[in-house]
Amino acid sequence: MKKINLRLLINLWAVFCLCLFVSCHNEEGTSQEGLPGYWYGTYDNQVYSLLFSKDGTGQITCHTYSNGQWDREVSFLQYTLSGNLLTVKSTESEIWTFIIGISGNSMSLTDGDFIAMLTRYNGSEKKINDLKQEYEDNLEDSLPNDNEVEDSWG
């Protein structure tokens, strides 16, 4: 459990530092050329992949781990980028507006309540599958082994 808390603390600190770096580095806004492409991020039991096309369309794929299996949900979207404001409209007519910062292969999105960190990648399913496997491996690491259970019962 301490290992998971330490990882969480390190990840939160890295997100904080990157947000500060991106916000200071990118005061003029994000260029339209920097956004198109494939991006991924993880949050709890979910792996996200996003595609932003140059024509202002895209898609988001959410892979959610539950009951020992991965479920996949795909939504199509339209987006506009003005300075560092990204507005996204889903096919379900939901609209979100984010402050965006891109530095190299890292992107931060925030709406004031939520911060997401995304990483650019080549769009391959292998990367998404690797992230899913890493999540499952971390689940196994957090489960007590037989010796720990026996020790706790005396």
Side-chain angles (χ1 to χ4, degrees), residues 49-60:
S49 70
L50 289 92
L51 167 62
F52 291 102
S53 298
K54 290 181 180 181
D55 66 358
T57 62
Q59 76 178 46
I60 181 170

Side-chain angles (χ1 to χ4, degrees), residues 7-20 117:
R7 280 189 199 163
L8 179 61
L9 183 61
I10 290 170
N11 286 336
L12 289 174
W13 181 249
V15 168
F16 176 74
C17 290
L18 187 58
C19 286
L20 284 177
M117 297 304 299

Side-chain angles (χ1 to χ4, degrees), residues 17-27 30 100-103 106-108 117:
C17 290
L18 187 58
C19 286
L20 284 177
F21 173 76
V22 169
S23 66
C24 293
H25 176 72
N26 200 10
E27 292 178 10
T30 301
I100 182 174
I102 297 176
S103 179
S106 299
M107 178 190 337
S108 65
M117 297 304 299

Side-chain angles (χ1 to χ4, degrees), residues 2-154:
K2 288 181 183 181
K3 184 178 180 182
I4 292 172
N5 288 336
L6 180 60
R7 280 189 199 163
L8 179 61
L9 183 61
I10 290 170
N11 286 336
L12 289 174
W13 181 249
V15 168
F16 176 74
C17 290
L18 187 58
C19 286
L20 284 177
F21 173 76
V22 169
S23 66
C24 293
H25 176 72
N26 200 10
E27 292 178 10
E28 297 173 7
T30 301
S31 72
Q32 186 71 30
E33 293 80 36
L35 181 61
Y38 291 92
W39 299 86
Y40 74 84
T42 60
Y43 181 75
D44 284 342
N45 64 332
Q46 298 174 322
V47 176
Y48 292 94
S49 70
L50 289 92
L51 167 62
F52 291 102
S53 298
K54 290 181 180 181
D55 66 358
T57 62
Q59 76 178 46
I60 181 170
T61 304
C62 177
H63 304 267
T64 304
Y65 189 79
S66 178
N67 298 321
Q69 67 181 20
W70 288 95
D71 294 320
R72 178 180 168 170
E73 183 179 332
V74 178
S75 296
F76 295 94
L77 56 91
Q78 296 178 326
Y79 73 91
T80 58
L81 182 62
S82 177
N84 63 347
L85 288 180
L86 174 67
T87 303
V88 177
K89 180 179 178 185
S90 72
T91 53
E92 293 83 26
S93 297
E94 295 179 81
I95 298 175
W96 303 279
T97 301
F98 301 100
I99 297 172
I100 182 174
I102 297 176
S103 179
N105 289 329
S106 299
M107 178 190 337
S108 65
L109 297 173
T110 183
D111 65 0
D113 294 324
F114 175 78
I115 297 173
M117 297 304 299
L118 303 169
T119 303
R120 186 182 303 276
Y121 77 112
N122 64 6
S124 75
E125 278 298 308
K126 181 181 180 333
K127 180 63 181 176
I128 300 304
N129 290 334
D130 289 347
L131 291 166
K132 291 194 262 183
Q133 185 61 52
E134 181 180 329
Y135 176 80
E136 291 179 39
D137 291 346
N138 286 335
L139 278 179
E140 292 172 9
D141 289 345
S142 66
L143 296 174
N145 63 36
D146 292 338
N147 293 336
E148 290 173 346
V149 173
E150 289 175 12
D151 290 345
S152 67
W153 288 101

